[in-house]
Amino acid sequence: RTNERTNERAGAMPKIPFKKTKAGMKTKKKKKTIEGIEGRSFCITGTLSSMKRKEAQAAVINAGGIVRSGVSKTLEVLVTGANPGSKVALAEAYGVEIWDEDTFIEALAKEEEEEEEEEEVKKHVKKKKKSSPACSGPRWEWEDDDGNWNQYAKEDGELIEGSYQTEEPSFVTKDFSWNLKHQTLYKVDFENMIQINVESEVERNIRRLGPKTKKSKSKEDVKLEDSVHSRWEWKDDDGNWCPFADEDNDLLEERYKSGPKGIFSTTEFSFNKTHNTVYVVNFKKGTQRNVETNSVRPIRRAAVSEYSSSSSGKSSGKKGGKIAWEWWNDDGDWAEFAEEDAKMIEEAYRSNTSPFVTRNLTFNKIHKSLYIFDFIVMTQVNSDSGTSRKMRRRGTKITKSGHDKAEDDGYADVLDSEDWGASVKVKSSAEAPIFSPSISTAEVKKQQLLGAQSLRGRKGKKVDYGPAVSKDKHGRKCFDEMLENEKRFCGEWVVFYHSYSAAALLYEVQAAVAAVLFRFKSQFAALPRLLWKPFNDIPNAKAMLKEFPTWPDRDHNPRFRAVGLCGTSSLLAHDSEAPPKSVFLMGYSVGSIGGILEKLLKACGVPGSHVKKLAKRVIKLAEKHGLDCCGVGGKMCKSGRAGHMLQIFIRRELVDKYVYPSFPYGVPDKKRDPLGRYLSKNGQKSGQVRLTVNPDVFLRASCVRMFVFSADPTFHKMRADFQEALQEELDEILKNDKTRVKAAKGIFGGKLPSWWSSDDQSEASKMTKKRYLMPDFD
């Protein structure tokens, strides 16, 4: 031990940790090669929370890096913990890359799958050199502690295969050949493909290889197998998914069933017979790699069902009770797909694969355009022209994860309910909180260096707006401007995106009213929530999360929809619900919310006898400026593109108070919590959020800055003019002190806050775009 201490004081390399093998022998642990560490020089300063400094230094060395004791011009990376001292300033002066502890841990924790693949290749080459007897039946194997697969003894394999053929999900036994002396009880689980020692609870992976053996099947099983099969596909250089040959499909499926997260190597692909190249298939990554050229192609597995109606669903009453697929046509109505097309779309839908790409459509035989069907947001996109249409599936109770109804429609439902806020008692007036910026200059500079939130972790990668937006000139311009806004605000603000369509006019009316009563900057953005009453009980994200477990319908609950919005944390991510690239042009809902505008106007103080006439005038005014009004009983916009995107910037100091990370339906995502910390780091951002859109902060440009982008180019251009004209049209409730007080009482729930003034604020609400785009104005 004296020698060990002397070596450590002298800066000698720490001893490489040992690991025990199955037999109890000690072997040196193989060094990992981690991208970003190997061959680079590191200095570690400050106190790390997850390990001691010497452990961190050893980890760098084991990963192929070099450890330095001080900062110099030749140092490549400085890893900082708590209280890092003067080395940080010196590193900044020399231009040395600086990592925090999280970045360091991420680098150390990168998957070692490439090493596994190389080991698999070595095993494959080694196997080729040995002559192995032909296998006449299925072969069962178990995985040892080193990740190697070993064949069971003949009698043990026969025992497992016999039980496997009974189609029972598992069995227990003491009859394995290695267990005759100990007589330990073992359980073999075919569903999870594991073998468990019941006494020690040690688990081992198992797999089944060799020719297929038919099990005895009932008539129902035969019928099911006739209608369901697995399809393996690979992606070509143009991004199209292509099916593997039948024999290759069988090979992949057999190996997949023996271990769905496994890796295997082979030379047996049909396209490889003349070359005899080794290919490595990684099911966990979904890749196929050519070992000689190192080229990698994505692969995927889809279970395809024949077109039939669901036994659990209701018949649509058309075409013999089969499920109907429909698309939203230019006349503002639903039209059915041809039966042949509907059959193909249904097969793709049931495979749980999205998007589905095809040229094989009855209406497309001449043009041969590539169509993309997105089953998450239910859109059909012509990738050649960029035309996007909504679609829907009828005749079943089966629903996809996510919303069956867009939440802007849900907000309309809340307004439509006579007693939506009856249970809410006004406990206090709106707070009008005072906000003071508190982010340090150093943190602002750090965030500015990391850049736009949606572009983080994408360095060197082409910015992809998706097939629909990329083909649309106006759409590209909008996305370019949104990213420019992100670059401008990234120092002190985080950004979220909310897509809507049917409720656009409701949001616009609320913005116009808020401009006159509360100085809201309506020329730049619509306002999704205005009525204060429901925020008395749910003023922020903490209160929402406290109530969330009591909502059986989760974020479909009227209490959520009265105060909350669904959003995403990136403009470019492929999120599981309403990704901006997919929903921008057409929006996230199609349908009618007729009558809801009248409810909103009444809530804002319009006399009941005047409501219908005013609503009609507002709709006519909106149509004149190009807004799609088919959802409120008006005309469709000229382009047919009813989508809108609300870009919401929130101060970094406030994000965790009013926003929480979520899965579909608003279920909290603890992995990204706290959200502010997650969004402040480098790396690609994705995932949904739920926002509490409290007017106390969302009306204040010092706390929240919003921009609206409309897919219809006419309305997008004329929107500011529409807001001015709309404020004039709403003069009935905004023209004098008396009517403004009445409107404000309706919005506040009856009790006016002391800070509110009945003066017309419309002039004070106006601001130049140049000033509004300044991230730090007071």
Side-chain angles (χ1 to χ4, degrees), residues 60 93 112 117 127 134 160 221 262-263 274 282 295 308 402 407 437 441 489 531 565 575 612 619 649 653 660:
V60 170
E112 302 172 38
E117 290 184 5
K127 285 176 186 176
I160 297 171
D221 292 329
I263 299 169
T274 56
N282 187 323
S295 61
S308 61
E407 102 261 14
T441 304
F489 284 89
L531 305 178
L565 280 187
D575 283 346
K612 286 190 176 181
I619 292 171
F649 289 96
E653 300 98 320
Y660 75 87

Side-chain angles (χ1 to χ4, degrees), residues 674-711:
L675 184 61
R677 183 182 177 188
Y678 167 77
L679 295 176
S680 69
K681 296 180 182 179
N682 200 3
Q684 289 190 23
K685 299 293 173 278
S686 62
Q688 297 176 47
V689 297
R690 297 297 181 265
L691 303 92
T692 310
V693 196
N694 193 325
D696 275 344
V697 291
F698 274 72
L699 288 175
R700 298 174 174 272
S702 58
C703 302
V704 175
R705 211 76 60 85
M706 296 189 287
F707 301 85
V708 68
F709 296 85
S710 300

Side-chain angles (χ1 to χ4, degrees), residues 572-729:
L572 305 176
H574 297 282
D575 283 346
S576 58
E577 184 180 1
K581 295 191 293 187
S582 299
V583 300
F584 173 59
L585 296 182
M586 296 304 294
Y588 196 28
S589 61
V590 171
S592 174
I593 55 173
I596 311 304
L597 176 59
E598 289 87 335
K599 296 275 185 181
L600 176 62
L601 293 172
K602 189 175 181 180
C604 291
V606 177
S609 59
H610 297 184
V611 165
K612 286 190 176 181
K613 288 182 179 179
L614 180 58
K616 287 180 179 179
R617 294 202 306 271
V618 168
I619 292 171
K620 273 196 171 184
L621 185 67
E623 291 172 344
K624 178 182 175 181
H625 287 83
L627 180 63
D628 188 289
C629 293
C630 62
V632 289
K635 296 177 183 177
M636 180 184 284
C637 63
K638 188 176 179 181
S639 69
R641 294 183 172 177
H644 305 268
M645 190 69 66
L646 192 62
Q647 186 181 38
I648 305 169
F649 289 96
I650 301 179
R651 290 283 309 191
R652 291 188 181 277
E653 300 98 320
L654 298 173
V655 62
D656 289 319
K657 185 172 182 179
Y658 294 100
V659 191
Y660 75 87
S662 75
F663 295 111
Y665 292 107
V667 177
D669 178 3
K670 294 181 180 179
K671 188 176 180 181
R672 292 184 290 137
D673 189 33
L675 184 61
R677 183 182 177 188
Y678 167 77
L679 295 176
S680 69
K681 296 180 182 179
N682 200 3
Q684 289 190 23
K685 299 293 173 278
S686 62
Q688 297 176 47
V689 297
R690 297 297 181 265
L691 303 92
T692 310
V693 196
N694 193 325
D696 275 344
V697 291
F698 274 72
L699 288 175
R700 298 174 174 272
S702 58
C703 302
V704 175
R705 211 76 60 85
M706 296 189 287
F707 301 85
V708 68
F709 296 85
S710 300
D712 181 87
T714 302
F715 180 71
H716 184 81
K717 184 178 179 180
M718 300 182 70
R719 188 188 166 277
D721 294 336
F722 170 63
Q723 270 295 313
E724 285 198 21
L726 184 56
Q727 289 171 32
E728 292 179 12
E729 191 64 62

Side-chain angles (χ1 to χ4, degrees), residues 54 94 186 200 233 250 265 326 342 397-398 410 595 610 645:
K54 286 180 180 178
Y94 285 138
Y186 281 83
S200 67
E233 297 174 329
D250 291 343
S265 57
E326 299 175 335
K397 290 181 178 178
I398 299 173
H610 297 184
M645 190 69 66

Side-chain angles (χ1 to χ4, degrees), residues 167-195:
E167 300 188 347
E168 292 294 330
S170 63
F171 78 102
V172 292
T173 184
K174 294 182 178 180
D175 294 341
F176 287 125
S177 60
W178 72 83
N179 190 43
L180 297 177
K181 181 178 178 181
H182 303 288
Q183 287 294 292
T184 302
L185 190 66
Y186 281 83
K187 178 181 178 180
V188 177
D189 183 342
F190 294 124
E191 290 186 340
N192 298 301
M193 294 301 278
I194 53 174
Q195 163 202 298

Side-chain angles (χ1 to χ4, degrees), residues 297-309:
R297 289 192 183 278
I299 63 172
R300 69 180 184 184
R301 176 182 185 262
V304 182
S305 304
E306 291 299 322
Y307 176 62
S308 61
S309 59

